[in-house]
Structures are given as C-alpha cells and as structure tokens.
Amino acid sequence: MIKTASTTLAPPEKNSKTKRIVKSNFYKWHRVLGLMALVPVIFWTVSGLSHPLMSNWFRPFIPQEIFHPKTQAEMQPQLSLQEVLDRNHLTEIRNFGLVNFDRGTFYQILNRDSIYQYYSAKNSIPLPNGDQLYAIYLARYFTNDKKTPVKEASLQTTFDDYYQPINHLLPLWKISFDRPDGMDIYVETGQSRMGTFNNNTRKGFLWLFEQFHTWQFLATLGGEKFRTVTLLVIVGIMFLSLLSGLTVYGLFWKKFKTIQQKRKAEGQEDKRLLHRFHRQIGLVVSFVMFTFVASGAFHLLVKLHNLKSEKVQYAQLIHRNELLLSNLKLPLADSAIKKVALVKFQNRAYYQVLNKQKQVLYFDAQNGKELPNGDQQYAVFISNFYRDSVGQKANPQLKTITLIKQFDNEYGFINKRLPVEKVSYPDRENWYIETTTSKLSTTVAGIDRAEGLSFIFLHKYFGMTWAGKNLRDVVSMLAALGVLVVSLFGVASFIGNKSV
C-alpha cells in the first residue's frame, strides 16, 4: 500500500479573506500616499504650467540683447594704460578694459579690491561713480530707452527671487526704470553684457516658480541641504503613490470591469464616475508622471551629491612693471581690436585680445610676441587651477580642447556663458572655461552628464526641439495638466466616496 504525502491547502474562504485584506491595504495606502502627495503635485504642476508662459509666450520684449562694442580705432584712446596707471599712482591691478559710452572713452580698471574704477583715456582723470554710470548706459542701450528716469541702481552680489542662480553672473548691476511695466535690467559691466531682464509680469512668474517649483522657501528656512532632502522625500512619496496606483489598477482590473458590466446589465446609474476617470486618465498619464518623478529625483540626488562649499575663484594680480609694452602698440591694427584685457599665467602677463573675427589672441605684455594657441593654453591653466582647488591634480593625459560657440545637449543654455573652451580629460570628464573672465562655467562628468540628459529630455521635453519651441511647450504643459487632473480626480473621488 503506497502512502501519498498529503498536501495542506488553505480553505477557499481563507484565501478569499487574504485577498480582500491585500486589496484593502493597497487601496488604503494608495489613498494615503495620494493625499500626502496632493499639495506638492498641485504646486509643481501649476508652477510647471507657468514656466512656458514666463520663458516663451509672455517673455518681455527687449530691443537689444547683445552689446556691440566699438573697435579700438573707433574709441580713439589718447593715453596708454601705462600712462593712466602712472598718473594715478596705481602699481598693481587685477584687469582692465577700454570702454566707450556717452561720457567718452575710459579705461575700466579692476583694482586690487575687485572694484571697477574709470579713468579718462584722454586725460586720465577718474570718473566718479563710473561703473554705475556705465551700467545705466548699457541698460538704456539694451532697452533702447533714453528718456525714462532710473528709479534705482544697485550693485547685486547675491542671487534672490528675481535674479536666480540659473543666471550665474555675479556681481552685476540691477538697473530699475521708473516705468509702468517695472522693467529691471541686470548688467555685468566687466563684460558689457546683460544677465537678464524682468518686467512686472515676469517677476510674478519668477516668484511663483521659485516658491512653488523649486521650493526656495525651504532653503530660506533650513538651508539648501534641508530643501533638497525634503524634496527627495516628497518625490519618493509621489513615486510610491504612482506605483501603488498602477498596482491597484493593473492587478484588480478584472474586478473593476466586472463591477461595471454588472452595473450596466442591471441598468444602475454609474455613481463612481470620478473613480473611473481617475483610474483611466491615471493610466494614460502614468508614463508622464514616471518621467517627471524619475528625472526630478535624479536631479535632486545629483544636486545633493554635489553640495559643497563655494569654489575658490581665480584672481590674478598684475604689477605695473610687468606691463612693458603699451596696449596701444600691439602687433595688431586698432581697427581689428574689439576688446583688450590682461591675463597672467605661467609667470607672465599677456594682453588678451578679442579681434573682429571673434578670435581670442594672446600677446606677451613685455615684448608683444604672440603666444601660439594662447586661448587653449590659458583654458588648460584655469581648468587645472579649479581641478586643484577641489583636490584633483593636473592630468597630463589631456585629450582635447574644443572651442564651444553655441549651446548643445551637454552644455546647455542654463550655463549662460559663451564662448567657452571645453577641456576634456580621460573618462569623458569635461571642464568648460570662459577664458575672458577666468571662470569655470561648469563641469560635466559621469553622473552629471547622465543627469543633465535625463532632465532636459524627460523633464523639459528637449526631445521635441525638432517640432519647435511652441509645440514643445504645449506638449509639456499638457503633460503637467494631465498629472494635475489625475490628482484632482483622485481627491474628489476620495471626498465623494472613501471606498473605491
């Protein structure tokens, strides 16, 4: 007689009870997580809807966005830099430039204290409040507004709600015009360029985006790390809400379908429209929600990883006795010179000259000899300086140095500075250097590159650039609106009937 092993099976009633408990728990946690994520979702979607309006359709008009300086021949300086320094008893400077505006032609000298002073190129007399006057001139140039009174002119050294870190350039002047539209122009005088411009409408959008999308108020309360960690927790809750909703809808699809068919067969009124719309629209936009959540979480994680103390900035100091060659006797025609500055590296001072062909050339300040590939050499020097400041030593295995004249997927518009030299090291580590200011614009390596691509394609829909900015913005707004509608249907169904 063969004995068979007996298999213990759970009674059908017990299996059915277990399933009901599991379903009930899923419903419960989906509702709880959804309610916890509701306010952040409303904040993010509404402020996200405002972004295309702010940056595209309601962007204020400004007549000029780029300043076109005169050539050195057109400015007609009568005194050399050396003569101006000697007459004003200046023995060392950080840098200089030659500018022309409605007050005349001036030497714009950056002194040891990193403050610009202006000296006439005709008689070397200092111009009181010269930097402010030049900033106002530039603001009027950009707006083509020669008459409106200036309400306020202030030197801005920090970012705020209306001049945000995405603009990068500091310090600079904020010039506020006394106009009905409340126009503010932000001007970097050292490079004669505009940081950004805002009217009253744009200021409103900026405040909305700053407070409800980036949640800057959290940084004000507890610092940048507190803000980033808090947002990561909220994004995690949103992801769990999304996952639980997909689980409920996917695993229990037959139940919903059976209930609907039974209701139709019995001719009953469908009183659960809100629940049904929430589930159906949620499934449609679930992929969009996932791209927003995933790219946002990745962005925050990388930001948290990169939170470090402020980087040391390169600051040169050049003595008068290093400038033996007059800036007016460079081996280049004055009619070809658009801008002249000074740089110091490899224990020598050089005139850094931007010509009419937008090439940056380097001439020894003692003998006028041109430095071959000077801009590339200087870019490597500055790159090594910043690498050393963060504990990365100079790497002899340098791959390539590339001049970047326009933004691309890796070096995007948010970096603001152009042109830059891309200094590439092994392992695709790229350091972008703006040689005309000796600034590190950004570093892209490994995880930063992956995060940047995920953010512009999954969060900002740059994959639709081919369709044009207007259509891309419409699609991104519809995506955000879909997420908002799903959330509102969810809370409405919860209020209407707490049982799904």
Side-chain angles (χ1 to χ4, degrees), residues 359-410:
Q359 298 170 315
V360 183
L361 308 176
Y362 291 70
F363 299 96
D364 194 301
Q366 293 191 28
N367 55 37
K369 184 179 179 180
E370 183 175 356
L371 180 67
N373 301 316
D375 207 44
Q376 294 185 352
Q377 290 194 49
Y378 188 55
V380 173
F381 171 80
I382 293 297
S383 174
N384 287 336
F385 169 84
Y386 285 112
R387 284 169 59 85
D388 185 65
S389 70
V390 294
Q392 292 181 258
K393 299 301 180 182
N395 194 328
Q397 300 178 13
L398 185 67
K399 286 172 61 179
T400 57
I401 306 166
T402 309
L403 179 62
I404 305 298
K405 296 182 178 181
Q406 61 185 15
F407 299 111
D408 54 28
N409 288 338
E410 178 172 290

Side-chain angles (χ1 to χ4, degrees), residues 125-236:
I125 297 176
L127 177 66
N129 300 316
D131 205 38
Q132 183 184 90
L133 293 172
Y134 185 52
I136 293 172
Y137 168 82
L138 289 173
R140 292 193 183 281
Y141 174 90
F142 293 128
T143 58
N144 195 24
D145 188 339
K146 310 299 183 185
K147 298 179 180 180
T148 302
V150 172
K151 183 168 63 176
E152 182 182 9
S154 58
L155 185 64
Q156 182 141 350
T157 58
T158 59
F159 298 108
D160 58 27
D161 287 346
Y162 303 121
Y163 187 74
Q164 300 174 358
I166 193 173
N167 293 298
H168 292 283
L169 307 179
L170 279 178
L172 78 177
W173 285 88
K174 175 185 176 183
I175 309 300
S176 302
F177 288 102
D178 191 10
R179 310 190 334 186
D181 64 354
M183 180 65 79
D184 296 335
I185 308 294
Y186 294 83
V187 176
E188 186 186 37
T189 53
Q191 296 298 311
S192 301
R193 63 183 169 187
M194 180 171 60
T196 191
F197 57 99
N198 302 324
N199 62 4
N200 289 331
T201 302
R202 184 173 169 83
K203 290 174 194 175
F205 280 128
L206 282 169
W207 184 88
L208 176 69
F209 196 81
E210 183 82 349
Q211 302 304 322
F212 293 97
H213 206 86
T214 62
W215 291 33
Q216 193 58 36
F217 62 88
L218 291 178
T220 304
L221 291 173
E224 185 60 26
K225 187 173 183 178
F226 172 71
R227 182 189 78 90
T228 306
V229 171
T230 303
L231 292 181
L232 271 171
V233 171
I234 294 172
V235 169

Side-chain angles (χ1 to χ4, degrees), residues 36-307:
M36 290 174 66
L38 177 64
V39 172
V41 166
I42 292 175
F43 280 4
W44 279 327
T45 52
V46 171
S47 57
L49 286 168
S50 74
H51 190 270
L53 301 177
M54 170 180 64
S55 62
N56 189 3
W57 296 311
F58 290 163
R59 187 173 186 264
F61 169 75
I62 195 162
Q64 298 286 343
E65 294 195 36
I66 298 175
F67 179 71
H68 300 284
K70 293 180 178 180
T71 65
Q72 186 163 292
E74 292 171 324
M75 287 191 274
Q76 298 181 335
Q78 297 179 25
L79 299 177
S80 68
L81 171 65
Q82 288 80 354
E83 290 174 304
V84 170
L85 294 179
D86 293 342
R87 292 186 184 188
N88 287 278
H89 310 289
L90 299 174
T91 58
E92 54 188 12
I93 62 174
R94 295 199 182 279
N95 216 325
F96 89 103
L98 197 61
V99 299
N100 175 273
F101 60 115
D102 54 2
R103 302 298 178 106
T105 298
F106 292 84
Y107 279 96
Q108 179 193 59
I109 294 179
L110 186 65
N111 288 319
R112 186 187 184 102
D113 58 6
S114 297
I115 295 176
Y116 283 107
Q117 299 290 343
Y118 289 66
Y119 301 87
S120 171
K122 180 179 180 180
N123 53 32
S124 77
I125 297 176
L127 177 66
N129 300 316
D131 205 38
Q132 183 184 90
L133 293 172
Y134 185 52
I136 293 172
Y137 168 82
L138 289 173
R140 292 193 183 281
Y141 174 90
F142 293 128
T143 58
N144 195 24
D145 188 339
K146 310 299 183 185
K147 298 179 180 180
T148 302
V150 172
K151 183 168 63 176
E152 182 182 9
S154 58
L155 185 64
Q156 182 141 350
T157 58
T158 59
F159 298 108
D160 58 27
D161 287 346
Y162 303 121
Y163 187 74
Q164 300 174 358
I166 193 173
N167 293 298
H168 292 283
L169 307 179
L170 279 178
L172 78 177
W173 285 88
K174 175 185 176 183
I175 309 300
S176 302
F177 288 102
D178 191 10
R179 310 190 334 186
D181 64 354
M183 180 65 79
D184 296 335
I185 308 294
Y186 294 83
V187 176
E188 186 186 37
T189 53
Q191 296 298 311
S192 301
R193 63 183 169 187
M194 180 171 60
T196 191
F197 57 99
N198 302 324
N199 62 4
N200 289 331
T201 302
R202 184 173 169 83
K203 290 174 194 175
F205 280 128
L206 282 169
W207 184 88
L208 176 69
F209 196 81
E210 183 82 349
Q211 302 304 322
F212 293 97
H213 206 86
T214 62
W215 291 33
Q216 193 58 36
F217 62 88
L218 291 178
T220 304
L221 291 173
E224 185 60 26
K225 187 173 183 178
F226 172 71
R227 182 189 78 90
T228 306
V229 171
T230 303
L231 292 181
L232 271 171
V233 171
I234 294 172
V235 169
I237 292 172
M238 289 178 62
F239 175 74
L240 292 175
S241 176
L242 170 63
L243 186 63
S244 61
L246 288 174
T247 302
V248 168
Y249 190 76
L251 294 181
F252 307 144
W253 160 255
K254 291 183 179 179
K255 174 185 175 181
F256 299 133
K257 188 175 181 180
T258 301
I259 293 173
Q260 187 176 355
Q261 290 174 343
K262 182 179 179 181
R263 185 183 296 114
K264 286 183 178 180
E266 296 177 356
Q268 296 179 2
E269 182 183 357
D270 188 355
K271 297 181 179 180
R272 301 169 62 86
L273 284 174
L274 293 175
H275 298 77
R276 183 152 55 89
F277 289 153
H278 173 65
R279 291 193 297 267
Q280 292 175 347
I281 299 175
L283 183 61
V284 173
V285 303
S286 59
F287 177 74
V288 169
M289 293 174 68
F290 176 76
T291 60
F292 282 156
V293 169
S295 58
F298 195 14
H299 177 74
L300 290 168
L301 284 169
V302 172
K303 190 174 185 67
L304 185 63
H305 175 265
N306 291 336
L307 278 180

